[in-house]
Amino acid sequence: MTDHHILTQIYEIQSPKAADPMINMGVDHIGSVLLDEQNWKVRELKETVRLVSESDSKSSILPLFSSVDSISRALDYYQPHIVHCCETISTIPIKKSEIDILLKRQKKLKERFPEIKIMRSLPVSPSVEGEKEGLLEIVPLFEPMTDYFLTDTVLPAPADAGPDRQPVPGFVGITGIPCDWDAVSALVASTRIPVILAGGISPENVYEAIARTRPAGVDSCSRTNRDDGRGGFIRFEKDYEKVKRLVDEVRRAAADGLM
């Protein structure tokens, strides 16, 4: 059986020391997070991106802010391979004005940095009635300005439309909870854009996740971080053994032709 390649993407790599084992394990996309719009220039992150750029891996920068000018300054400084846009998007109901704002941002980034690929997070809840239809409706809108889609878990809004429940308000990710894989499978089948599956991906479930959704790649953050001893995870501290087991399972899936 011919082996296929399934991308592995690991996030919260904030230093060259943490990036080096990712490179040695053959992680394809090595992601770093920009936490602060005011203090976006971090020398250690610059060195991390530089180290990744000198390898066969690709660097991804995820800014937790949305100003095009602020993101542009960061991209000009870091020069990553990928910029990751992960603002939340409403799919039930679809809010056209919200989507128009995001599309305009991506268009400007594409115009300013044509050499940098854009990854767009798409929110998928663990299970919400009617969500799949809304998700499939917005995908074609983003396709012309997106190089990768990343499906990640979004926590459903409370019935009383109370405060944003996401771990980082306004942004998708780091829930540690798998999303609806059936919705992801439908998305993968509907788009020409490579889809990376995120949301609670661990060494224990990644093979099944690939078998169920057939994505171009998988992303892991919290489930490959170190345990905090209380059932949670330590931000920005990777467990290299977990990463190695996840990479091995992705390669097993690829060897089995699950793509």
Side-chain angles (χ1 to χ4, degrees):
M1 182 178 292
T2 302
D3 285 6
H4 301 277
H5 186 71
I6 301 171
L7 292 169
T8 54
Q9 179 169 285
I10 302 293
Y11 255 101
E12 295 196 337
I13 306 301
Q14 306 293 103
S15 69
K17 181 179 178 180
D20 192 57
M22 301 298 111
I23 293 168
N24 291 336
M25 282 186 262
V27 172
D28 297 287
H29 293 175
I30 297 174
S32 304
V33 183
L34 291 180
L35 296 165
D36 191 335
E37 187 170 5
Q38 306 307 315
N39 300 298
W40 55 269
K41 189 180 283 189
V42 182
R43 185 164 187 81
E44 192 169 42
L45 278 185
K46 173 79 168 177
E47 289 301 307
T48 301
V49 173
R50 182 194 60 76
L51 178 65
V52 174
S53 297
E54 293 172 353
S55 74
D56 292 332
S57 302
K58 295 187 184 301
S59 58
S60 180
I61 289 287
L62 190 161
L64 289 177
F65 43 89
S66 299
S67 162
V68 172
D69 288 340
S70 295
I71 294 172
S72 295
R73 283 193 292 271
L75 294 181
D76 192 53
Y77 177 71
Y78 289 104
Q79 291 293 307
H81 296 98
I82 302 164
V83 58
H84 187 166
C85 304
C86 67
E87 300 95 337
T88 54
I89 305 171
S90 175
T91 57
I92 306 176
I94 293 172
K95 298 178 180 178
K96 188 65 165 57
S97 60
E98 172 188 82
I99 290 174
D100 285 344
I101 290 170
L102 299 179
L103 289 172
K104 287 177 183 176
R105 286 177 188 159
Q106 284 190 215
K107 185 173 186 293
K108 288 181 179 178
L109 290 174
K110 271 289 184 189
E111 290 170 349
R112 293 180 183 182
F113 299 93
E115 75 283 6
I116 296 178
K117 295 186 181 298
I118 294 180
M119 183 178 298
R120 159 57 59 188
S121 284
L122 296 174
V124 183
S125 71
S127 181
V128 170
E129 186 76 22
E131 177 187 58
K132 181 168 64 177
E133 290 72 18
L135 182 66
L136 296 180
E137 188 174 335
I138 68 171
V139 163
L141 302 176
F142 284 98
E143 283 180 335
M145 283 163 288
T146 302
D147 299 287
Y148 299 98
F149 285 129
L150 182 135
T151 55
D152 207 347
T153 306
V154 64
L155 301 177
D160 62 358
D164 189 340
R165 296 177 59 207
Q166 309 320 311
V168 180
F171 294 88
V172 183
I174 61 168
T175 64
I177 301 170
C179 62
D180 183 343
W181 290 347
D182 290 336
V184 176
S185 179
L187 169 61
V188 170
S190 76
T191 183
R192 61 181 176 79
I193 303 297
V195 177
I196 295 176
L197 171 65
I201 298 299
S202 70
E204 290 72 29
N205 68 11
V206 67
Y207 186 94
E208 181 186 358
I210 293 169
R212 288 271 300 276
T213 64
R214 304 299 176 104
V218 292
D219 168 284
S220 182
C221 183
S222 57
R223 293 287 175 178
T224 46
N225 280 4
R226 288 179 52 210
D227 296 338
D228 65 5
R230 302 184 299 276
F233 309 96
I234 303 172
R235 294 290 308 276
F236 306 108
E237 292 191 22
K238 303 312 293 184
D239 183 319
Y240 299 134
E241 176 58 31
K242 288 182 184 178
V243 175
K244 177 64 166 60
R245 287 193 288 119
L246 183 136
V247 169
D248 287 347
E249 284 295 283
V250 173
R251 288 175 178 164
R252 182 167 74 91
D256 290 346
L258 300 183
M259 186 177 179

